[in-house]
Amino acid sequence: MDNSYFHSVKLDKSACKGCVTCIKFCPTQAIRIRDGKALIIESRCIDCGECIRRCPNHAKSALTDSIENLGRFKFNVVLPAPALYAQFHQDISLEKIFAALIKLGFNAVYEVALAAEYVTMEIEHYIKNTPDLPRPTISSACPAVIRMIQVKFPALIKHIIPLSSPIEVAATEAKRLFSQKTGLPPEDIGVWFITPCPSKVTSIRQPVGVECTDISGAIGISSIYGELQRIIGSIEPVDIEFARASSYGIGWGYAGGEVRATGIVNSLIVHNVTEVVDVLEQVDMDKMDDVDYIECLACSGGCIGGPLTVEDRFVAEKNLKLRVRRMRDREDGDRQKTLAGQQEPMTSNWKARRLKIEPRPMMKLDDDIMVAMQKLVKIEQLIKDLPGLDCGACGSPTCASLAEDIVQGLASETDCIFKLRHMVNNLAEEMFKLSKQTPATKTKE
């Protein structure tokens, strides 16, 4: 297993004030404050971007690609996420958004929402035709959730549905279709995802579950939104060449859209990374085996609430839901017929590209099992001695994480201000006793 890490979430130490806000909200306890600055523990970080969202000093940011990178390829296809549509008022047509993207320098558009419809039908087929499925089955669409399961709930890997995410399917299909159309070899075609979150950037640079990806890079919504907004009002709309997505595919952009598209009734929809952790803990304890499917999304509201979006999450949800409602009014009303009617035959074997997902435990005390057990006993002893307030003043998010850090040589007991105060008080009492004894000793002499 590859033990190297790529992370799209980056820290600017010059902007960090050591305020401990980020350590309180990180879902995997991947951040510490050391020497007055934040420190990201690579083995724990899942690039969910919660620290970007929470940092009051803007010391966290996401590493993404830029429009300038298009020059690496002869032909460039853009994959707009449905969350991009949500950044614009529902009266701005998708054709105008496509035209604005092409004006920025892309040669063609392929909707991720269309690929979501391919995946929708495969999920439905897989759930209905696979015997002895671990229940509940967990969606594979959110890469932050997949990494969360890898590092914090490895026993739940078998619950993840073994199908590629919509962006992977979109990239594979776009490269195949435009290679055929242009006559260019696939390596000359760039495929760029417009992303609402940093976890999707990481999933491109360091894929999970697939050996490689057809996505060339990811450009943050926030990095191109200003230019899109500037030109979108005066540009002429264009239609895209290949089949357009229906309301079912575009609905994947907000929480609940995936479940609605698949038609799985006995399902659960959970969004917001804290709530996701709570639900996964319940699944890990076998308390949700009566549920068929869980749509898990790390961001509040789904992808529309990603940290690389621009519009307020609730406004974005309104924008996208109204757009979907208008589309639904024009559609047949039969879900199966609508989904099937949007699709062209797929010749690329994208399903076979998903490999086994490996666990990446976030806490490995030692390679030697005996030493690790000794350290675990020491951690338990330290936890009993610590105040249990989880205040974060020590630079670790909880007393338990401080105990682990102490055992690993990354912190000391005096980092706890309560322990330090207790030690100082004890020292002061000892000094006071000595000061009382000293005059009496001199008189005796």
Side-chain angles (χ1 to χ4, degrees):
M1 183 178 68
D2 184 10
N3 290 317
S4 62
Y5 299 94
F6 169 86
H7 290 294
S8 58
V9 173
K10 300 298 178 184
L11 168 69
D12 179 2
K13 286 195 173 184
S14 64
C16 178
K17 306 298 183 185
C19 68
V20 311
T21 301
C22 57
I23 72 172
K24 303 303 292 182
F25 289 99
C26 178
T28 57
Q29 298 182 352
I31 308 176
R32 302 289 188 271
I33 304 296
R34 297 289 179 258
D35 300 322
K37 301 290 183 181
L39 171 70
I40 299 175
I41 302 173
E42 288 196 333
S43 61
R44 290 174 175 264
C45 180
I46 61 171
D47 292 294
C48 62
E50 195 66 15
C51 57
I52 297 175
R53 196 194 313 275
R54 300 286 185 174
C55 180
N57 302 303
H58 307 290
K60 314 292 192 309
S61 61
L63 177 66
T64 61
D65 293 287
S66 68
I67 294 293
E68 286 70 29
N69 296 128
L70 271 59
R72 292 161 37 198
F73 299 92
K74 294 180 179 178
F75 190 91
N76 290 282
V77 184
V78 61
L79 309 178
L84 176 66
Y85 308 157
Q87 307 308 299
F88 300 95
H89 192 274
Q90 63 273 9
D91 289 340
I92 296 177
S93 69
L94 294 185
E95 290 78 11
K96 277 210 164 192
I97 297 174
F98 301 151
L101 288 168
I102 290 173
K103 181 74 173 177
L104 287 186
F106 298 101
N107 302 107
V109 179
Y110 189 93
E111 288 190 278
V112 173
L114 178 62
E117 297 187 33
Y118 291 122
V119 177
T120 291
M121 297 191 75
E122 287 300 323
I123 290 172
E124 189 176 3
H125 181 268
Y126 186 85
I127 295 291
K128 287 181 178 178
N129 296 282
T130 305
D132 302 320
L133 268 178
R135 298 181 75 201
T137 302
I138 299 172
S139 168
S140 63
C142 178
V145 171
I146 300 304
R147 290 178 187 271
M148 169 80 76
I149 292 172
Q150 276 188 297
V151 303
K152 199 166 184 176
F153 303 99
L156 300 185
I157 287 176
K158 65 180 182 291
H159 289 261
I160 301 171
I161 195 162
L163 297 172
S164 295
S165 65
I167 62 170
E168 290 291 340
V169 177
T172 300
E173 282 300 287
K175 185 160 283 197
R176 175 182 70 85
L177 290 168
F178 287 102
S179 179
Q180 290 177 353
K181 179 181 182 296
T182 62
L184 291 170
E187 57 268 22
D188 285 341
I189 295 177
V191 179
W192 305 90
F193 177 59
I194 307 301
T195 181
C197 73
S199 68
K200 289 185 170 68
V201 180
T202 302
S203 71
I204 294 167
R205 299 288 187 91
Q206 194 172 57
V208 173
V210 293
E211 201 169 81
C212 62
T213 178
D214 286 314
I215 310 172
S216 307
I219 300 170
I221 288 175
S222 56
S223 67
I224 65 168
Y225 174 79
E227 189 64 17
L228 289 175
Q229 189 70 275
R230 186 184 67 82
I231 63 179
I232 207 163
S234 58
I235 202 164
E236 289 298 318
V238 298
D239 207 348
I240 58 176
E241 186 170 357
F242 295 100
R244 286 285 306 279
S246 72
S247 66
Y248 292 98
I250 291 175
W252 273 61
Y254 54 79
E258 178 183 354
V259 161
R260 173 184 172 265
T262 56
I264 302 171
V265 176
N266 185 23
S267 58
L268 193 68
I269 301 159
V270 55
H271 51 103
N272 181 306
V273 70
T274 303
E275 305 299 333
V276 168
V277 171
D278 290 344
V279 167
L280 292 178
E281 285 176 348
Q282 296 294 309
V283 177
D284 203 27
M285 292 187 288
D286 296 325
K287 290 188 175 182
M288 290 195 177
D289 57 0
D290 60 335
V291 176
D292 290 332
Y293 194 75
I294 301 182
E295 178 184 335
C296 272
L297 302 162
C299 295
S300 294
C303 293
I304 57 170
L308 300 186
T309 58
V310 176
E311 187 58 90
D312 174 83
R313 191 269 268 189
F314 296 98
V315 174
E317 184 174 6
K318 180 270 298 181
N319 290 344
L320 196 57
K321 284 187 173 180
L322 283 177
R323 193 181 294 274
V324 165
R325 186 174 300 166
R326 290 178 180 181
M327 295 178 70
R328 198 181 307 161
D329 290 342
R330 297 193 299 266
E331 291 168 355
D332 181 87
D334 184 303
R335 184 181 63 87
Q336 287 283 1
K337 185 176 178 181
T338 300
L339 285 170
Q342 297 296 314
Q343 298 188 46
E344 296 177 347
M346 294 184 68
T347 60
S348 55
N349 191 17
W350 55 270
K351 287 177 290 183
R353 298 177 64 230
R354 175 160 290 280
L355 305 178
K356 182 180 179 181
I357 299 173
E358 298 287 346
R360 298 188 83 153
M362 61 183 179
M363 186 178 79
K364 186 177 183 181
L365 295 177
D366 200 276
D367 291 328
D368 187 318
I369 185 64
M370 296 305 297
V371 175
M373 290 177 67
Q374 291 170 2
K375 287 184 175 181
L376 187 58
V377 171
K378 179 63 175 174
I379 288 172
E380 291 173 352
Q381 291 172 346
L382 285 167
I383 291 173
K384 290 179 182 178
D385 293 337
L386 291 169
L389 298 175
D390 296 343
C391 64
C394 62
S396 299
T398 64
C399 290
S401 59
L402 175 60
E404 180 191 336
D405 292 344
I406 292 169
V407 167
Q408 296 293 69
L410 303 174
S412 66
E413 287 190 62
T414 55
D415 287 329
C416 174
I417 59 173
F418 299 97
K419 293 283 287 186
L420 179 61
R421 184 172 64 184
H422 182 68
M423 293 169 68
V424 169
N425 287 339
N426 287 344
L427 180 60
E429 289 177 6
E430 291 295 327
M431 292 178 68
F432 181 74
K433 289 177 183 179
L434 287 173
S435 68
K436 288 291 186 181
Q437 293 172 3
T438 302
T441 304
K442 286 182 179 180
T443 301
K444 188 177 181 180
E445 290 177 351

